[in-house]
């Protein structure tokens, strides 16, 4: 329908957004991305090739004059919706984000530009698929990759100087690094780092209000310390520092990050990413204590909030949830991994294990759950409730930069 009648498409989705959301976005969008090359009908958006860097500016010029574009979403397809490297299929996540921007922020689709940066793929299925439409070679890394991204950013900023650039689903080695590189100079945003952090912080603030707890006294465990997990940690840390008199360094002490090897520790050295290092704990603090799995960390920390961004299904086990509920009256448990099949726990199980005490929000839609004859709506902690407003505010104000304080306010 979108290809045949765009006006009708937007009207249908706008009038039935609740029913259509899971179709135009996660989890259905994840299935469409995985089958992009097989479902392909006609190109939509801007496809840029790492081996044609001298044509990037020329290709972008085809999308209008300097005043024509307000909002650009760009992805390199390396870390899509918890389903990993999808190569050139990443164009669909750029398109989906812009559909939500139109529906939720009112930015006209003709003033938006979806972009995919094709620099190869490390997905073996795509490399061996004769129908795959992208570069069938391993991902380009290092200086050539950085030059590719920089050429795109500089060309986009030159051609559309007022446009806001939204980075989407870049891989762990690049997401934070690229954001830190371009934030001081242009209005840009990384949804996986900042958007996830903003919307999760909003959920935490709501939960603290219910549990009558202050942000400065909260203990938080994050399971899955990739781009999204460390992005949430950063946003919570900044909010703690803003609300209390604590420094960011002291605020960090309220956050424990767990990843594949267990709790992040300073002794893990070079295996830690740039974003993880500030959350790594001193080894002496955990000497003689078990820290190689989530259960032992929960037992030791006794967190008020447990967040899952691991993409490892069913890892919030009954034992872990009940252990948390022993020490906290209203445990906040947020299984946020996308799509639905990768959630760390089912809200129905969490509700039963905690006897209805848990405050739950998820990263994808779930049906209401019942406990003792009472029906509970499952809150959805999805970036889609956050990034359109942040983008609209930046576009309307023609902000030169997007600061930390602006994000906390959002």
């Amino acid at each position: 329908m979108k290809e045949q009648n765009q006006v009708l498409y937007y009207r249908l989705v706008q009038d039935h957004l609740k029913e259509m959301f899971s179709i135009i976005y996660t989890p259905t969008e994840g299935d469409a991305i995985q089958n992009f090359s097989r479902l392909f009908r006609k190109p939509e958006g801007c496809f840029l090739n790492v081996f044609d860097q001298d044509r990037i500016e020329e290709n972008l010029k085809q999308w209008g004059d300097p005043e024509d574009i307000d909002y650009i979403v760009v992805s390199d397809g390396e870390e899509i919706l918890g389903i990993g490297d999808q190569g050139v299929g990443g164009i669909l996540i750029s398109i989906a984000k812009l559909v939500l921007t139109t529906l939720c922020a009112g930015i006209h689709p003709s003033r938006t530009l979806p972009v995919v940066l094709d620099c190869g793929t490390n997905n073996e299925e795509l490399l061996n698929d004769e129908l795959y439409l992208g570069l069938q070679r391993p991902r380009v890394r290092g200086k050539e990759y950085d030059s590719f991204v920089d050429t795109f950013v500089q060309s986009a900023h030159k051609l559309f100087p007022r446009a806001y650039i939204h980075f989407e689903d870049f891989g762990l080695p690049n997401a934070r690094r690229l954001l830190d590189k371009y934030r001081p100079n242009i209005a840009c945003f990384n949804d996986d780092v900042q958007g996830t952090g903003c919307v999760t912080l909003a959920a935490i603030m709501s939960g603290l209000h219910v549990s009558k707890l202050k942000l400065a006294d909260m203990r938080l465990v994050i399971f899955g310390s990739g781009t999204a997990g460390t992005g949430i940690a950063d946003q919570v840390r900044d909010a703690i520092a803003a609300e209390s008199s604590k420094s960011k360094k002291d605020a960090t002490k309220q956050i424990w990050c767990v990843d594949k090897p267990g709790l992040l520790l300073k002794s893990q050295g070079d295996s830690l990413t740039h974003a993880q290092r500030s959350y790594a704990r001193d080894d002496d603090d955990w000497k003689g204590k078990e820290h190689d799995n989530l259960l032992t960390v929960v037992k030791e920390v006794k967190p008020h909030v447990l967040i899952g961004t691991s993409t490892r299904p069913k890892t919030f086990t009954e034992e872990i949830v009940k252990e948390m509920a022993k020490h906290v009256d209203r445990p906040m448990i947020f299984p946020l991994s996308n799509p639905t099949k990768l959630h760390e726990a089912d809200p129905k199980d969490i509700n039963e294990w905690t006897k209805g005490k848990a405050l739950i929000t998820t990263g994808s839609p779930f049906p209401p759950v019942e406990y003792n004859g009472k029906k509970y709506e499952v809150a959805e902690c999805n970036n889609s409730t956050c990034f359109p407003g942040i983008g609209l505010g930046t576009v309307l104000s023609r902000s030169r930069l997007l600061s930390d304080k602006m994000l906390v306010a959002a």
Side-chain angles (χ1 to χ4, degrees):
M1 180 186 289
K2 186 168 183 281
E3 292 177 358
Q4 295 175 348
N5 190 327
Q6 194 175 64
V7 173
L8 182 60
Y9 167 80
Y10 278 105
R11 183 56 188 266
L12 171 68
V13 179
Q14 187 174 46
D15 287 352
H16 303 278
L17 185 57
K18 186 174 182 179
E19 298 93 330
M20 299 296 292
F21 186 87
S22 62
I23 296 173
I24 63 170
Y25 195 52
T26 179
T28 308
E29 187 65 20
D31 294 335
I33 290 169
Q34 286 180 301
N35 291 282
F36 171 71
S37 295
R38 294 174 180 274
L39 298 175
F40 181 83
R41 295 178 68 182
K42 67 176 185 179
E44 185 177 1
C46 182
F47 294 74
L48 301 177
N49 187 315
V50 67
F51 298 120
D52 286 325
Q53 294 188 36
D54 54 344
R55 294 180 55 195
I56 288 177
E57 186 171 333
E58 179 188 342
N59 290 343
L60 288 172
K61 272 183 182 177
Q62 312 305 314
W63 294 88
D65 295 325
E67 295 293 325
D68 290 343
I69 300 296
D70 288 326
Y71 200 124
I72 298 171
V73 177
V74 58
S75 177
D76 72 352
E78 186 171 5
E79 203 65 52
I80 301 286
L81 288 173
I83 55 177
D85 190 341
Q86 299 300 319
V88 78
I91 190 64
L92 291 185
I93 196 64
S94 296
I95 292 168
K97 292 286 182 178
L98 288 172
V99 167
L100 292 175
T101 300
T102 295
L103 292 166
C104 302
I107 297 178
H108 197 279
S110 67
R111 301 193 64 80
T112 66
L113 174 58
V115 179
V116 66
L117 304 179
D118 187 4
C119 39
T121 178
N122 292 336
N123 184 328
E124 289 296 327
E125 287 185 20
L126 298 180
L127 290 173
N128 296 319
D129 186 351
E130 294 180 353
L131 295 179
Y132 178 59
L133 296 172
L135 289 172
Q136 283 190 293
R137 53 148 293 152
R139 281 189 172 270
V140 171
R141 302 285 191 191
K143 290 182 179 179
E144 192 171 11
Y145 175 86
D146 287 347
S147 171
F148 182 35
V149 175
D150 193 60
T151 302
F152 160 73
V153 171
Q154 300 306 332
S155 297
H157 191 54
K158 175 184 173 183
L159 294 170
F160 311 113
R162 292 186 173 186
Y164 165 78
I165 298 179
H166 170 143
F167 294 104
E168 183 66 35
D169 287 338
F170 281 73
L172 183 59
N174 298 314
R176 170 64 59 127
R177 183 176 63 85
L178 293 174
L179 179 64
D180 290 345
K181 178 178 179 179
Y182 293 111
R183 277 191 85 190
N185 303 309
I186 63 171
C188 64
F189 174 81
N190 185 301
D191 196 33
D192 307 289
V193 177
Q194 297 164 297
T196 304
C198 283
V199 74
T200 307
L201 175 61
I204 290 172
M205 298 290 272
S206 297
L208 293 175
H209 179 72
V210 172
S211 57
K212 296 179 172 55
L213 185 70
K214 291 182 179 179
L215 191 60
D217 299 325
M218 176 199 68
R219 296 183 298 275
L220 166 64
V221 169
I222 298 175
F223 181 59
S225 303
T227 303
T230 53
I232 292 168
D234 285 351
Q235 204 66 47
V236 173
R237 176 203 63 196
D238 293 349
I240 292 171
E243 186 179 275
S244 66
S245 58
K246 294 183 179 182
S247 66
K248 286 189 178 182
K249 185 176 181 181
D250 286 338
T252 301
K253 294 176 182 177
Q254 293 178 223
I255 302 168
W256 288 259
C257 291
V258 181
D259 212 60
K260 292 173 185 174
L263 184 69
L264 298 186
L265 298 173
K266 289 183 178 177
S267 61
Q268 290 161 5
D270 292 342
S271 65
L272 298 172
T273 66
H274 172 71
Q276 291 172 341
R277 283 179 193 135
S278 58
Y279 298 100
R281 293 273 163 169
D282 288 322
D283 290 68
D284 290 342
D285 294 343
W286 286 79
K287 197 170 184 179
K289 300 174 185 176
E290 287 188 59
H291 51 74
D292 58 352
N293 63 74
L294 181 59
L295 177 61
T296 55
V297 174
V298 167
K299 282 182 177 179
E300 182 66 28
V301 174
K302 301 176 178 58
H304 301 96
V305 186
L306 175 61
I307 293 173
T309 53
S310 66
T311 68
R312 292 172 61 186
K314 307 300 180 185
T315 44
F316 289 179
T317 62
E318 182 175 359
E319 187 178 7
I320 289 171
V321 170
K322 285 185 173 180
E323 177 65 31
M324 185 177 173
K326 276 184 194 176
H327 310 286
V328 181
D329 288 335
R330 299 303 302 271
M332 287 176 256
I333 303 177
F334 302 170
L336 301 183
S337 291
N338 282 320
T340 309
K341 63 185 178 183
L342 298 181
H343 266 46
E344 287 80 7
D346 190 303
K348 183 175 180 293
D349 293 333
I350 297 173
N351 211 39
E352 289 178 359
W353 296 336
T354 61
K355 298 180 180 178
K357 294 195 303 177
L359 301 171
I360 308 165
T361 185
T362 59
S364 288
F366 273 87
V369 297
E370 284 192 25
Y371 183 75
N372 280 350
K374 188 175 180 180
K375 186 176 284 190
Y376 297 84
E377 291 289 334
V378 179
E380 187 179 349
C381 184
N382 195 293
N383 301 15
S384 60
T385 61
C386 186
F387 76 82
I390 293 172
L392 178 63
T394 308
V395 168
L396 290 178
S397 64
R398 295 299 185 192
S399 177
R400 189 176 63 84
L401 301 173
L402 181 60
S403 68
D404 287 336
K405 287 186 177 180
M406 292 165 74
L407 291 171
V408 171

